Amino acid sequence: MSAAVRAQIIVAMSVLVLCAAPAVIGWLIIAYGVNVPYWDQMMIADFLIRNHGRAFPAIGDLLAQHNESRIVVPRILFFYLARVTGWNVKYEMGLSLVLAGTVAAAVCLLTRRAFDRTTAAAASAAAALLIFSPVQWWNWTVGFQLVLFVPAVMLACALLALSRSRVTIAAAAAAVATFSFANGIFLWLALLPLVWASGRDRKRCWLTVGGWTGAGIVTGALVYRGYKAPAGVPPMTLPYEAPGRFTAYCLAFLGHPLSWTRDLYPTIAVGGLLVVVFGGCLAVAWRQRRRAALEFAAFGLYAGLSAAAAAAGRLRLTLAQALEPRYTTLSIYLGVAVILLIFATASPRVQAVAVAVMVIAHLLAVRAEWPH
């Protein structure tokens, strides 16, 4: 088989995956989604009732704290989507799919800038398989959970902006993420290496990083002004207070989307393997001076920081709480980062092996989650 024919087959299969992966989630939402407000959506019901008849929600209602977050942007989405659909929450599930599709499209654009056409198609398809993974079933079938997809979209948009050295646009995206969900604030840290790299000289780098840091501090201060710990939330656990359990929680959190079981210790092992491969790929990329690796690594840093935050806030409940299915939309981006970094740093043979392993792990993880 000639190289040209092989490339055409790879591109065709990649396009098939890019079409089939979101189609599967669309079917899952249609088949299993129910038009009934559930859990946090009851608080959205209060918000919608208070603002019924308004052209735009009251600022106080938009800025009100929701658990540990200020979900300003999602509230605006809920408000106008309810206005158009009569508050059919299945449309919120559909919007989650659209948001995930936006992330996948951004990944396609990033890979096209970094790789040749064939490699970009294969890398995008492998990433899309995780972005649209059914292991996120809780977040696909509960409309309120679209709040978890907004920061990922803003991260992808910021990466596209920084790939063109548009730091101001990236900062705006990070601010939107911060006012969408609690972990959106981690975009300021996950994108910092790229912000540094966007400077043309050392002086410009320091100025850019200083401005970025200042904007992040101001945004964070606005979000947490008047913050009150929600009732029923346990005190935070800092890493030095229980280093072993804290690490185990983070690794279980990160390993869950690609684990073949819901048992805690094998999932911790999967998370540890992903972290090791992530670190190894970064070391290789550093030696090879590959800028694209910084863009892909941001997804992994975002997932890792989200894991640490979840461990700090939830470790006092139970270690097994790291396996909550609603966390997978945050943790799955470590897998996305790993597969993209492998494409950026490894030989074609290693890339093929990595994709095969990832596909098998993904299918086994879906099989483990499907009964739930």
Side-chain angles (χ1 to χ4, degrees):
M1 184 184 298
S2 67
V5 174
R6 189 182 305 114
Q8 289 177 351
I9 293 175
I10 291 174
V11 171
M13 292 179 63
S14 299
V15 171
L16 179 62
V17 171
L18 287 167
C19 294
V24 168
I25 301 305
W27 166 81
L28 188 149
I29 290 172
I30 292 171
Y32 292 98
V34 181
N35 181 26
V36 174
Y38 178 66
W39 207 22
D40 289 82
Q41 282 174 307
M42 301 312 297
M43 286 180 273
I44 297 300
D46 292 339
F47 163 76
L48 294 175
I49 291 170
R50 285 195 304 272
N51 290 276
H52 180 71
R54 295 179 64 101
F56 189 80
I59 299 300
D61 284 334
L62 284 179
L63 293 174
Q65 184 177 326
H66 181 99
N67 294 333
E68 294 101 333
S69 306
R70 306 275 186 189
I71 57 171
V72 177
V73 176
R75 279 191 176 116
I76 294 173
L77 296 176
F78 290 134
F79 180 78
Y80 288 109
L81 198 59
R83 181 69 58 86
V84 173
T85 67
W87 201 36
N88 184 334
V89 298
K90 293 195 74 169
Y91 284 91
E92 297 173 1
M93 304 171 202
L95 182 56
S96 296
L97 180 56
V98 172
L99 294 174
T102 304
V103 178
V107 169
C108 289
L109 293 175
L110 291 170
T111 56
R112 284 184 63 185
R113 291 174 57 88
F115 309 131
D116 60 77
R117 178 171 175 265
T118 304
T119 306
S124 300
L129 200 63
L130 298 180
I131 292 170
F132 295 107
S133 175
V135 300
Q136 304 170 84
W137 60 271
W138 180 281
N139 297 331
W140 295 127
T141 56
V142 176
F144 176 83
Q145 298 301 100
L146 70 84
V147 299
L148 274 73
F149 292 91
V150 177
V153 173
M154 292 300 105
L155 174 59
C157 293
L159 289 175
L160 287 176
L162 289 173
S163 69
R164 296 168 173 81
S165 299
R166 305 288 179 81
V167 179
T168 304
I169 296 175
V176 170
T178 307
F179 279 97
S180 296
F181 190 60
N183 75 320
I185 200 170
F186 298 138
L187 268 66
W188 298 100
L189 293 174
L191 294 168
L192 190 59
L194 269 173
V195 172
W196 169 268
S198 66
R200 297 178 181 177
D201 52 53
R202 185 172 293 274
K203 182 179 179 181
R204 183 70 62 83
C205 287
W206 282 113
L207 289 174
T208 305
V209 168
W212 178 269
T213 304
I217 291 172
V218 170
T219 305
L222 290 173
V223 167
Y224 287 102
R225 182 174 179 271
Y227 176 85
K228 296 180 180 179
V233 174
M236 291 185 65
T237 303
L238 298 179
Y240 65 83
E241 295 176 338
R245 283 173 54 80
F246 192 95
T247 302
Y249 189 105
C250 290
L251 295 179
F253 182 103
L254 295 169
H256 183 204
L258 286 173
S259 178
W260 68 90
T261 175
R262 286 186 126 219
D263 292 340
L264 190 60
Y265 293 106
T267 305
I268 292 173
V270 172
L273 178 61
L274 286 171
V275 170
V276 168
V277 175
F278 178 76
C281 288
L282 279 184
V284 173
W286 177 264
R287 290 200 302 268
Q288 296 176 348
R289 295 293 189 269
R290 292 186 178 272
R291 176 189 164 85
L294 285 178
E295 298 171 358
F296 303 146
F299 288 113
L301 293 175
Y302 168 74
L305 290 167
S306 298
R314 299 293 185 265
L315 185 58
R316 293 184 189 272
L317 295 177
T318 172
L319 193 58
Q321 209 262 346
L323 304 183
E324 285 284 340
R326 64 181 183 273
Y327 292 157
T328 50
T329 299
L330 307 177
S331 57
I332 207 162
Y333 283 98
L334 177 60
V336 171
V338 166
I339 197 66
L340 292 175
L341 285 170
I342 288 174
F343 273 95
T345 59
S347 65
R349 180 172 296 181
V350 174
Q351 293 171 10
V353 172
V355 169
V357 171
M358 188 273 289
V359 169
I360 293 171
H362 174 255
L363 293 175
L364 291 176
V366 172
R367 180 185 177 188
E369 281 295 323
W370 197 261
H372 302 280

